[in-house]
């Protein structure tokens, strides 16, 4: 389990960062309990419960460590671990909500929370937290983010971590090329071009063209345009001319300063490609920091906040808070809740987030020394509270947000990269879908 190194000093930057931001009895099925709308039961508090990890493979080892510790502390409960790849988790939940087989507990990120909660699949957790040792121990910024993302002013997950966008760059390659740190967007584009030598299979940047591409593109767009709000009234700003111009420039990097294979890259392929050592820069988040350390060591790269405009202003889009949900159909909610409490407790939450390089939701875990020692985490916190950073809040509360920002538009973004669709047409289509979703949401919440 987690070994605390030295005394505990308050990681004020990490806590401040998050304020700006957000399992059935064995007989009940192979993967979990019933479908959405099933009332479930509190159960005996003993037996087997099913847990779906929403980032299976990537975080399997640390979850199995936490589960082993939980089972040692709770010998009457067994946890069936089911790892689901991040790109598949939305469809997996949607299928189980309709046809049955939901887990007792599942990882649910804020980006998909509203759509799941709207189908009455998740148990509201406010009362359970109030009666729990977790009361007062969860970061208020993450709690507020999750509550907002659920769209109903209720808490449908216990927040476990927050992530943040990071620009990783190879310090050794930059030094050899005589380049300065890519702290501004102009410096970023200069470095992408100068570090590219296609004949030697070396590239300045790796762009995300597969799963998760739209979120990364939004970060690049708003960071360059400097537009500070996702909405003007009830009309989205995604297709503002300044954002169109920003996306044209960003997508124009493809195949010029990036590998051609990037058009299909999800984050695992993108990270592995960068860790191979042939690429100068990578835009990902805090979650891949430990992967880079394992591949490259600590002396060949840095992870810094996303670039600023020339005047030092940093605009970035919000990153979703991850959490654990208790599914309403669970036949053993008592045991499921014990697992959630354990996973969000000081030691387990610190262990998970140190492994992932993310920000803990547990306020005691957020004081642990490893946070200060993780430079990308520390720098992200400092940047957010420099007084020059603006967060563009993405509308996670829209039930259709996850579908619109992923399945409905990732194939279209690939067309932009390939030059068969213009950035303007892509953003106009995206804006039309978002405006419609916003209007529908407002009509239902009047």
């Amino acid at each position: 389990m987690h070994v605390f190194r030295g005394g505990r000093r308050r990681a004020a930057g990490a806590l401040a960062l998050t304020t700006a931001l957000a399992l059935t009895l064995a007989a009940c099925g192979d993967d979990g309990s019933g479908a959405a709308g099933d009332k479930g039961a509190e159960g005996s508090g003993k037996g087997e419960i099913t847990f779906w990890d929403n980032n299976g493979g990537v975080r399997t080892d640390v979850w199995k460590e936490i589960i082993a510790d939980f089972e040692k502390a709770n010998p009457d409960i067994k946890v069936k671990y089911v790892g689901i790849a991040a790109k598949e988790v939305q469809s997996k939940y949607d299928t189980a909500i309709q046809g049955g087989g939901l887990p007792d507990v599942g990882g649910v990120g804020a980006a998909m929370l509203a759509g799941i909660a709207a189908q009455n699949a998740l148990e509201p957790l406010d009362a359970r937290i109030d009666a729990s040792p977790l009361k007062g121990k969860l970061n208020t910024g993450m709690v507020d983010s999750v509550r907002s993302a659920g769209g109903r002013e209720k808490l449908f997950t216990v927040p476990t971590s927050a992530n943040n966008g990071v620009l990783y760059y190879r310090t050794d390659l930059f030094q050899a090329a005589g380049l300065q740190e890519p702290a501004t967007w102009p410096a970023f584009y200069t470095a992408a071009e100068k570090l590219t030598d296609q004949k030697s299979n070396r590239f300045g940047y790796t762009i995300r063209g597969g799963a998760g591409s739209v979120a990364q593109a939004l970060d690049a767009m708003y960071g360059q345009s400097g537009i500070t709000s996702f909405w003007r009234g009830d009309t989205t700003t995604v297709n503002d001319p300044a954002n169109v111009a920003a996306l044209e420039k960003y997508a124009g990097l493809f195949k010029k300063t990036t590998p051609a294979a990037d058009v299909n890259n999800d984050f695992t392929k993108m990270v592995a490609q960068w860790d191979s050592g042939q690429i100068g820069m990578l835009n990902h988040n805090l979650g891949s920091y430990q992967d880079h350390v394992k591949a490259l060591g600590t002396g060949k790269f840095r992870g810094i906040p996303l670039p600023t405009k020339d005047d030092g202003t940093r605009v970035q889009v919000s990153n979703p808070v991850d959490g654990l949900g208790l599914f309403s159909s669970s036949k053993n909610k008592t045991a499921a809740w014990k697992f959630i409490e354990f996973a969000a407790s000081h030691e387990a939450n610190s262990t998970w987030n140190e492994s992932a390089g993310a920000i803990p939701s547990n306020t005691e875990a957020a004081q642990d020394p490893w946070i200060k020692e993780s430079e990308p985490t520390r720098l992200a916190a400092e940047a957010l509270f420099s007084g020059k950073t603006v967060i563009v809040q993405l509308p996670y509360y829209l039930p259709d947000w996850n579908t619109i920002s992923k399945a409905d538009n990732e194939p279209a973004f690939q067309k932009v990269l390939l030059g068969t669709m213009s950035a303007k047409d892509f953003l106009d289509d995206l804006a039309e879908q978002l405006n419609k979703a916003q209007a529908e949401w407002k009509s239902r919440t009047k």
Side-chain angles (χ1 to χ4, degrees), residues 52-388:
W52 284 8
D53 173 10
N54 59 335
N55 201 1
V58 179
R59 302 297 169 215
T60 295
D61 289 346
V62 68
W63 271 122
K64 287 190 173 181
E65 178 184 348
I66 291 169
I67 288 169
D69 288 329
F70 172 77
E71 291 179 340
K72 183 177 180 180
N74 299 271
D76 292 331
I77 304 174
K78 297 299 178 185
V79 180
K80 179 181 179 181
Y81 171 88
V82 179
I84 302 173
K87 64 182 179 181
E88 299 173 358
V89 72
Q90 174 78 62
S91 61
K92 184 79 170 177
Y93 277 132
D94 288 343
T95 299
I97 285 170
Q98 298 303 318
L102 282 166
D104 299 277
V105 172
V108 181
M112 67 178 67
L113 178 57
I116 296 174
Q119 299 179 78
N120 298 314
L122 290 167
E123 189 92 349
L125 300 176
D126 303 81
R128 293 181 190 267
I129 290 174
D130 284 343
S132 163
L134 293 176
K135 183 178 181 179
K137 298 294 179 64
L138 297 174
N139 180 271
T140 56
M142 288 195 199
V143 170
D144 290 344
S145 178
V146 168
R147 198 182 299 279
S148 174
R152 298 198 220 165
E153 295 304 315
K154 295 180 181 179
L155 199 64
F156 288 105
T157 63
V158 171
T160 54
S161 64
N163 231 323
N164 203 52
V166 176
L167 180 63
Y168 294 101
Y169 75 98
R170 290 285 302 275
T171 51
D172 54 345
L173 300 182
F174 270 68
Q175 184 176 2
L179 290 166
Q180 295 183 337
E181 179 177 278
T184 66
W185 284 105
F188 164 81
Y189 282 108
T190 296
E193 183 175 351
K194 191 166 184 178
L195 290 173
T196 298
D197 181 357
Q198 294 195 15
K199 292 181 180 179
S200 301
N201 199 35
R202 292 184 177 273
F203 299 92
Y205 184 59
T206 175
I207 198 168
R208 190 167 183 167
S213 60
V214 174
Q216 187 178 90
L218 289 173
D219 234 346
M221 285 162 44
Y222 282 92
Q224 294 174 80
S225 71
I227 295 171
T228 58
S229 177
F230 197 79
W231 302 102
R232 290 193 186 107
D234 290 325
T235 302
T236 182
T237 58
V238 293
N239 60 338
D240 183 283
N243 273 336
V244 173
L247 184 59
E248 287 173 344
K249 187 168 186 178
Y250 181 71
L253 294 173
F254 177 65
K255 288 181 69 174
K256 294 180 181 177
T257 64
T258 80
D262 281 4
V263 70
N264 294 312
N265 274 1
D266 58 11
F267 87 93
T268 53
K269 293 176 183 176
M270 184 176 64
V271 167
Q273 185 170 264
W274 192 72
D275 286 346
S276 71
Q278 302 297 307
I279 300 172
M281 295 180 291
L282 162 73
N283 176 9
H284 192 230
N285 56 43
L286 294 168
S288 59
Y289 174 67
Q290 293 297 338
D291 296 321
H292 308 322
V293 171
K294 290 176 184 177
L296 302 170
T298 57
K300 292 184 177 180
F301 79 96
R302 291 187 71 199
I304 62 174
L306 297 183
T308 69
K309 293 173 66 67
D310 275 338
D311 63 3
T313 301
R314 179 175 284 108
V315 177
Q316 59 189 63
V317 301
S318 56
N319 284 273
V321 174
D322 208 7
L324 294 174
L326 172 60
F327 283 84
S328 303
S329 55
S330 171
K331 304 300 189 296
N332 200 351
K333 294 175 185 176
T334 301
W337 176 248
K338 285 181 181 178
F339 178 66
I340 292 175
E341 278 186 322
F342 185 90
S345 67
H346 177 181
E347 195 168 352
N349 190 241
S350 188
T351 295
W352 193 94
N353 280 282
E354 181 173 14
S355 173
I359 308 296
S361 63
N362 187 291
T363 54
E364 293 175 333
Q367 300 177 42
D368 289 342
W370 68 264
I371 293 177
K372 186 174 181 179
E373 296 166 10
S374 175
E375 186 186 44
T377 302
R378 177 176 57 80
L379 291 177
E382 292 173 357
L384 282 176
F385 291 89
S386 64
K388 295 182 178 181

